Amino acid sequence: MKIPFSLLLFLVTYINVAQRNTTIAPGEKLVFTASYNMSGLMTDLAQVTMETSVVNTSKTTLMRLKCTATTYKKWDDFFKIRDLYESYVNPKSLTSYLYNRDISEGGYYKFMQYKYSPKTGLVKSLKRKKRKDGSLWEEKTSFKIDENTRDLVTTLYHIRNLDIHKAQVGDSQDFSVLFDNKVTVVTLTYLKKETLNTKIGNKECYKLAVALKGTNLLKGKNENLIWLTADKNKIPVLAKFKIPVGNGELKIDSAEGTKY
Amino acid sequence: MKKTILAIGFITAIIAVVLAVTPLYKISIIPTLIAIICGVVALYLSLKEKSKPKSIQYVMVIAVLSLTIFIYKTVVDKNEIGNTEELNKREQDNLNESKEILDDIEIDEEF
């Protein structure tokens, strides 16, 4: 069967456009407050930041997508969190080449690194953990992923690049997320447009429901939600989540250096 | 009846003070309110029985103390980030190590 040239051209153009980063620019900094529901009262626990910057290597220029989570001072004596998640991506396509997850949570330490080979789909994984005596042990593995599988950080930024304005209410899309050497399917469903009063002003937002396939980590139907501003920046301004041990939310505090 | 209410009032008032001095101070409002309600009910019963309300005063004083700490903390308390020196160091170490790794990775995409 012959494929018409015009259709081929359309497909190639569509794929290129779909994969192009039109939203995220280096120098962007989003700051959030993470809260957890304690006996019916939302209690602020930590600050979460999402930052982008330019990283120059000897061969090329990449974009560093960095997310950090830091508990507030008053909680540090109880449960100190100092988490770092980062991904080094092609600034034009957001294709990831390297992912680091370096977490320290109340004495628990873990480091995960993925070295991607986008051409072959091969991922070289390195896991480093702390023993009880404080010494470190390592585990190296490699596995293949398909081209649509991304790490957590890249997925967060990739979602902001979606053409949500073209979606109809009820439309959903699956995303394959690589986490702890396992691929988890995340489903995003577009629910409706809503206007929210946030610290960065009154914003019209896309309300999206998040669901995980094959895991009970997130509870309820349409109870895990994320609001992205309905403009070109698609800034995540609010996220609500329900997990087996309670519920919480992530609210935006400030947004600097956005592209538009 | 009065003794039971007073016992509940005492216990909740003490829990409220303990919670009020911790970062979980927001939750202290629940036992504080229970203690105040218990105190008021005990006072009503005490006036009815024409007995001395001495122990009720203690419950109310402890409850008011926890309420004062709660209000003070609600007004004064700010979300401050603690020491991030270690995190900053890890960030920098990761960046340096990542740059070395990225130098070795073959990137054949168009930029």
Side-chain angles (χ1 to χ4, degrees), chain B residues 40-72:
Chain B
V40 170
V41 172
L43 185 70
Y44 172 75
L45 292 173
S46 164
L47 289 172
K48 220 176 168 184
E49 291 168 10
K50 290 178 181 172
S51 58
K52 284 184 178 177
K54 193 86 177 169
S55 47
I56 302 165
Q57 286 174 0
Y58 294 133
V59 174
M60 293 304 265
V61 165
I62 301 169
V64 168
L65 176 71
S66 88
L67 189 65
T68 311
I69 300 170
F70 169 80
I71 294 168
Y72 171 78

Side-chain angles (χ1 to χ4, degrees), chain A residues 10-252:
Chain A
F10 169 77
L11 282 171
V12 169
T13 314
Y14 176 77
I15 289 163
N16 278 336
V17 168
Q19 288 182 340
R20 193 167 290 164
N21 168 31
T22 54
T23 315
I24 320 296
E28 185 191 84
K29 187 178 181 183
L30 309 177
V31 182
F32 303 88
T33 295
S35 312
Y36 189 72
N37 192 340
M38 288 182 184
S39 305
L41 294 162
M42 274 294 170
T43 308
D44 295 344
L45 288 183
Q47 188 184 73
V48 175
T49 59
M50 290 174 79
E51 264 180 277
T52 59
S53 57
V54 169
V55 170
N56 291 308
T57 68
S58 61
K59 288 177 188 168
T60 186
T61 302
L62 296 168
M63 185 155 66
R64 183 192 194 196
L65 311 175
K66 185 180 81 173
C67 300
T68 57
T70 315
T71 39
Y72 290 122
K73 204 174 179 179
K74 59 189 171 189
W75 295 105
D76 281 353
D77 292 332
F78 291 85
F79 195 78
K80 190 177 177 179
I81 294 175
R82 297 288 186 269
D83 287 357
L84 168 71
Y85 292 76
E86 60 178 7
S87 197
Y88 295 84
V89 300
N90 177 334
K92 282 189 178 169
S93 66
L94 294 187
T95 306
S96 186
Y97 290 96
L98 185 69
Y99 164 84
N100 292 324
R101 175 177 167 225
D102 192 331
I103 61 164
S104 170
E105 296 171 350
Y108 173 81
Y109 175 78
K110 188 175 183 180
F111 177 80
M112 286 291 298
Q113 186 176 71
Y114 301 140
K115 286 183 215 172
Y116 298 99
S117 177
K119 208 176 175 183
T120 58
L122 190 76
V123 180
K124 285 179 185 170
S125 157
L126 167 70
K127 180 160 79 177
R128 198 180 290 146
K129 277 176 109 173
K130 207 180 246 182
R131 287 194 192 95
K132 279 182 182 176
D133 62 4
S135 61
L136 294 167
W137 62 272
E138 279 186 5
E139 186 187 88
K140 286 179 182 174
T141 47
S142 58
F143 48 88
K144 279 203 166 191
I145 55 167
D146 66 57
E147 59 181 323
N148 294 319
T149 303
R150 298 172 181 89
D151 56 68
L152 189 65
V153 180
T154 317
T155 304
L156 286 172
Y157 281 92
H158 173 71
I159 289 167
R160 292 178 57 196
N161 259 302
L162 298 173
D163 291 331
I164 308 173
H165 62 279
K166 289 178 186 168
Q168 301 290 315
V169 170
D171 281 358
S172 63
Q173 197 174 331
D174 287 349
F175 300 91
S176 299
V177 181
L178 182 62
F179 194 78
D180 272 344
N181 290 352
K182 282 180 193 162
V183 176
T184 307
V185 177
V186 178
T187 308
L188 274 189
T189 308
Y190 174 47
L191 298 179
K192 60 176 177 177
K193 262 189 187 179
E194 238 177 39
T195 304
L196 293 186
N197 186 11
T198 71
K199 281 194 177 173
I200 57 167
N202 261 344
K203 297 279 178 188
E204 193 182 25
C205 300
Y206 298 118
K207 186 180 179 182
L208 308 168
V210 185
L212 294 181
K213 278 185 184 168
T215 167
N216 292 324
L217 188 67
L218 296 179
K219 292 277 174 190
K221 200 189 172 202
N222 292 352
E223 286 189 75
N224 296 284
L225 302 158
I226 185 164
W227 283 262
L228 301 179
T229 56
D231 53 26
K232 281 182 176 178
N233 287 316
K234 294 188 203 91
I235 303 166
V237 287
L238 177 66
K240 288 186 178 180
F241 57 88
K242 195 176 181 185
I243 51 175
V245 288
N247 60 75
E249 63 182 35
L250 209 66
K251 269 184 182 172
I252 195 141

Side-chain angles (χ1 to χ4, degrees), chain A residues 3-13:
Chain A
I3 301 168
F5 178 73
S6 56
L7 180 65
L8 206 66
L9 190 72
F10 169 77
L11 282 171
V12 169
T13 314

